[in-house]
Amino acid sequence: MSIESILQQRTSVRAFVDQPVADDTLQKIFASAQLSPSNCNVQPWQACVVSGATKDKLKQRLIETLMSGASPTPDFNWLPQYQGIHRERQFGSANALYSAIGVAREDKKARQMAMLRNWQFFDAPHAVFFTMDKYLDIMGAVDLGIYAQTLSLVMAEHGVSNCMQGALGQFPDPVREILNLPDERGILFGMSFGYADDSAAVNNTRTDRELLENSVTFFQ
C-alpha cells in the first residue's frame, strides 16, 4: 500500500480481536520506525511496549488509580484547554465516537465508561508508551510525535491497527513503577495496537478533516 492509501483508509481503532502480533512482526515494525527523523538526529524516543501479563497488570493498576478518584498527574503540560475551532473539532470527534456506539449526549455514565476503555487499552493485545527524558520538553515532544506517526504508518502497512491515546500519559506513576522507569524519564502519551475487530460498532467511528485551504497557505 502507498502512504496515501494508508492515510485514506486508516482510522483510530478502539476494539481489537484477541490475537497478538507475532514477535517477528513486532521486531520488523519497530525496527522500521527507528528510521523516523528527529531534530539533530537525537532520536529521543524510548518506546515501552507492553503485552501479556505486564499489560494486564498495568491495566489493573491504571483502573484502580482511576476508580480511586485520583486526579491526572502528567509528566508534561497537558493543562491547556481547547478553544474556538479546536474545541468545536473536539466536540465533533466526541460526537462521532458516541454516535457510533449509540450513547446519548446526556448519558454521562455511559460516556464515562467509554472513556474508561482508554486505560483498558481497548482490550488490545499490545500497547506502547512513548517516553523520553523530561528535560527535552517541547523539542522532544515534537520528535516523539513524528516517531509515533511513523510507527502508525508502518503498522498499517503490516495490517496492524492502533489508536493514539493522550490518556495514557495522564497517570504516569503506575506505568513508571511497573516498568521500572527512572524518575527522569517522562511518559508523554501512548498507543494501543493489534488487529481490528471489524464487527465492533465503535470501529465505525469516522471524523472529518478540514479543507486544505483552511489549513495550508502557499506562498510564492
Side-chain angles (χ1 to χ4, degrees):
M1 295 177 65
S2 67
I3 291 177
E4 186 174 2
S5 296
I6 290 173
L7 288 171
Q8 289 173 346
Q9 297 179 28
R10 185 202 169 275
T11 61
S12 293
V13 166
R14 296 179 176 86
F16 298 84
V17 297
D18 185 18
Q19 177 186 348
V21 179
D23 288 344
D24 61 337
T25 302
L26 286 176
Q27 291 286 333
K28 290 177 182 177
I29 288 172
F30 281 86
S32 292
Q34 282 298 112
L35 299 174
S36 180
S38 59
N39 184 55
C40 299
N41 195 38
V42 298
Q43 304 173 64
W45 50 80
Q46 295 288 322
C48 299
V49 183
V50 296
S51 309
T54 299
K55 185 208 68 175
D56 292 341
K57 181 179 180 181
L58 191 50
K59 177 173 69 174
Q60 180 180 351
R61 283 290 305 279
L62 287 169
I63 294 302
E64 288 174 353
T65 300
L66 256 77
M67 298 306 290
S68 73
S71 298
T73 56
D75 289 325
F76 300 96
N77 183 16
W78 284 94
L79 296 179
Q81 299 294 312
Y82 292 126
Q83 302 175 15
I85 185 62
H86 306 124
R87 188 165 179 79
E88 291 177 22
R89 292 171 184 161
Q90 179 187 31
F91 285 157
S93 176
N95 183 61
L97 171 61
Y98 296 130
S99 295
I101 58 178
V103 173
R105 183 172 185 175
E106 62 274 11
D107 192 345
K108 293 183 179 180
K109 182 176 181 180
R111 289 191 168 214
Q112 289 173 345
M113 292 304 296
M115 177 63 71
L116 192 69
R117 296 278 295 155
N118 276 279
W119 294 279
Q120 295 173 326
F121 309 119
F122 303 119
D123 292 331
H126 313 279
V128 53
F129 289 86
F130 300 110
T131 80
M132 65 180 187
D133 289 347
K134 292 178 182 178
Y135 85 90
L136 291 164
D137 200 55
I138 187 66
M139 291 301 296
V142 169
D143 290 337
L144 260 64
I146 296 170
Y147 171 78
Q149 174 70 346
T150 301
L151 183 63
S152 177
L153 293 173
V154 176
M155 284 182 175
E157 187 179 32
H158 286 266
V160 176
S161 299
N162 64 71
C163 185
M164 304 277 195
Q165 296 165 262
L168 295 184
Q170 292 185 359
F171 298 93
D173 292 341
V175 181
R176 184 175 293 105
E177 178 183 344
I178 290 175
L179 302 187
N180 195 30
L181 302 181
D183 290 340
E184 62 269 20
R185 183 92 65 80
I187 299 159
L188 186 60
F189 66 110
M191 170 203 288
S192 297
F193 67 94
Y195 296 106
D197 181 354
D198 294 328
S199 68
V202 70
N203 287 340
N204 294 324
T205 303
R206 296 294 183 272
T207 52
D208 298 328
R209 289 297 182 270
E210 191 59 73
L211 295 174
L212 179 65
E213 54 264 34
N214 293 335
S215 299
V216 180
T217 303
F218 296 93
F219 296 90
Q220 295 182 347

